[in-house]
Amino acid sequence: MAIAQYGVVVLDARDPQALAEFYAGLLGWQVGELEGDWIEVAGPQGRMLAFQTAPDLVPPDWPSGERSQQLHLDFRVPRDRIEEAEREALELGAKLVQHDEGKRDFRVYLDPEGHPFCLCLH
């Protein structure tokens, strides 16, 4: 029997509302209400991401390793939509930090707060 059930991934943010809106736009999910220092983004089948206020957040310094990424999120994208997905992610405020160069099946980005995430070919 499992000890626990998976709940939610929570990311620290200087501006949790803005980061929630970024991920809601990226995933097509719905932004909830800001409750104190906490906000959630809800997707299908009960999937959720949450964001909490961390005014002194020091983002990872990926890929240098000086301040390791500690965590990153992978999002699947159909192979034939990767260019469109990248363009939309950049328009939302993502920063491309590692292109796949045709050698890998993923591209690495930073969200507006500096957390790394990947668009992975699916």
Side-chain angles (χ1 to χ4, degrees):
M1 180 172 178
I3 294 169
Q5 293 182 337
Y6 174 79
V8 63
V9 170
V10 182
L11 297 175
D12 286 350
R14 290 176 294 262
D15 185 344
Q17 177 79 44
L19 196 57
E21 290 171 8
F22 169 81
Y23 280 102
L26 187 71
L27 297 168
W29 292 6
Q30 297 296 312
V31 178
E33 295 294 320
L34 183 64
E35 296 179 17
D37 65 351
W38 183 276
I39 190 167
E40 298 173 341
V41 175
Q45 290 121 19
R47 294 181 183 146
M48 295 179 68
L49 281 173
F51 309 90
Q52 70 181 31
T53 303
D56 298 323
L57 173 70
V58 177
D61 189 17
W62 193 92
S64 79
E66 191 172 308
R67 288 188 316 272
S68 72
Q69 66 178 324
Q70 299 176 19
L71 166 106
H72 78 269
L73 302 169
D74 285 345
F75 301 109
R76 297 184 298 184
V77 175
R79 187 172 297 274
D80 63 347
R81 287 204 60 235
I82 188 65
E83 298 302 329
E84 178 184 356
E86 176 172 281
R87 186 173 49 257
E88 291 176 9
L90 295 173
E91 288 172 1
L92 287 167
K95 177 183 174 187
L96 177 65
V97 292
Q98 187 178 57
H99 196 278
D100 66 357
E101 302 165 2
K103 299 176 185 174
R104 296 182 294 274
D105 289 340
F106 62 91
R107 297 177 184 179
V108 183
Y109 306 82
L110 299 178
D111 69 23
E113 292 273 355
H115 303 101
F117 71 93
C118 297
L119 294 182
C120 303
L121 300 180
H122 172 56

